Amino acid sequence: MKRTITRGAASAAVVAVALTASGCAGATGADSSDSPSATGRLAVAYEGGIAVLDPATLEVVDQFDSEEFTRLNSAGDGRNVMVTMSEGFQVLDTSTPELTDLVFDAVTPGHVVPHGSTTALYDDGTGDTTIYDTEALDSTSGELPETRGVPAEAAHHGVSVQLTDGTLLTTIGDEESRSGARALDPEGEELARSEDCPSIHGEGTAADEVVVFGCEDGALLYHDGAFEKLDADEEYGRMGNAYVSATSPIVVGDYKDDPDAEGYLLDQVVLIDTAGHTYEKVELPDGIEYTYRDVIRGPGENAYILSTDGAIHVLDPDTGEITDAIDVIDPWEGPGEWQEPHPTLVGTGDTAYVTEPAKNTVHAVDLTTGEVTASVELEAAPNEIAVASE
């Protein structure tokens, strides 16, 4: 079934915002003390700048200059967003709001993974991991929190996550290839290792703190102090990103089984049952294609997939069936390069946020009703987007 959304409220809420070349702080001037949304705001990156939006109305609260292309990640504290700059991970306080002078140094800042009470920052330029207590980051103090550094065996594009017992899972690789992951205790001693995950990429933590990594021939799980490999049916069956819920044992992964396929659009997913130790490829119905930016988990533990037909398709992870669809934006084509602005889906609670770069617009969607509750039109194409959520 395809739902017809209500656009009246959204049309009334469209706001034209001038993102001028100066992009200086305070340009739109909303005082956070007067705002009903003092935390949990939305950050949207565009070429050369970042806008902070109210999550309910999508009103632009403030905007800031940045580098030409920046990536945004929630710091996991409900307030701050990490901005990948050339110097490292720069802290964007979405509550004040302020693009602060606080920077966690990194040669090539990469993945940011909040989990439990800690946040792990991964430096692709060194392979090293920086860990801090999530709630210790006080962006108003002018000082960074105390951190712990964990060196890598070699620099590579990777990721780390610290579990609640202090175990650090971090990827293995070098500048030319990646092969797996290892588990380290808080003192840095190796507890377990697997090098049975070629081209390891991405991570996600499912129910019972089972961690999954994607491989080009399946997936690598870590649970009960050991690694477990789940093999794809094909020799090449690449999972690059894991879409998880902390209360569901089912992981939804993006999936590609043709190493020669051009472009970034995908039309399959993989379902991993971390409790049943199964790995299943699912072909999506004709017309549903997406990129790595277009899948989230939401209400009912479902997966929500923003497709090139402009709709958010609802997938039941237990069955692999598409159960509903919500029309949101116009049909779109995949990007020529992954960094190029293309429709992106992020979410928190029952709300999804969808970018529509072709119209310089961001939409808020209630996933339980299918209603677009707000929209904002910017004067630049939105690219990266992040919610400052816990």
Side-chain angles (χ1 to χ4, degrees), residues 74-134:
S74 168
D77 57 11
R79 177 170 185 147
N80 297 300
V81 166
M82 295 295 179
V83 183
T84 58
M85 298 286 210
S86 55
E87 295 84 5
F89 300 92
Q90 187 165 353
V91 179
L92 170 65
D93 180 341
T94 68
S95 182
T96 303
E98 179 186 8
L99 183 58
T100 73
D101 293 330
L102 299 177
V103 179
F104 293 87
D105 292 337
V107 175
T108 308
H111 284 287
V112 177
V113 181
H115 178 73
S117 63
T118 60
T119 297
L121 310 176
Y122 193 89
D123 184 350
D124 287 348
T126 62
D128 298 347
T129 302
T130 298
I131 303 165
Y132 69 90
D133 290 339
T134 304

Side-chain angles (χ1 to χ4, degrees), residues 287-318:
I288 300 181
E289 296 181 297
Y290 67 98
T291 76
Y292 69 97
R293 288 184 179 180
D294 299 319
V295 185
I296 62 172
R297 299 294 287 273
E301 307 289 7
N302 290 320
Y304 295 80
I305 303 171
L306 177 63
S307 169
T308 53
D309 63 2
I312 297 175
H313 295 266
V314 184
L315 182 142
D316 182 346
D318 291 326

Side-chain angles (χ1 to χ4, degrees), residues 1-5 304-306 309-314 324-329 365-372:
M1 165 177 124
K2 182 175 270 194
R3 282 189 253 176
T4 301
I5 60 168
Y304 295 80
I305 303 171
L306 177 63
D309 63 2
I312 297 175
H313 295 266
V314 184
D324 204 352
I326 306 168
D327 288 320
V328 181
I329 62 176
V365 182
D366 185 329
L367 294 174
T368 63
T369 66
E371 179 186 1
V372 173

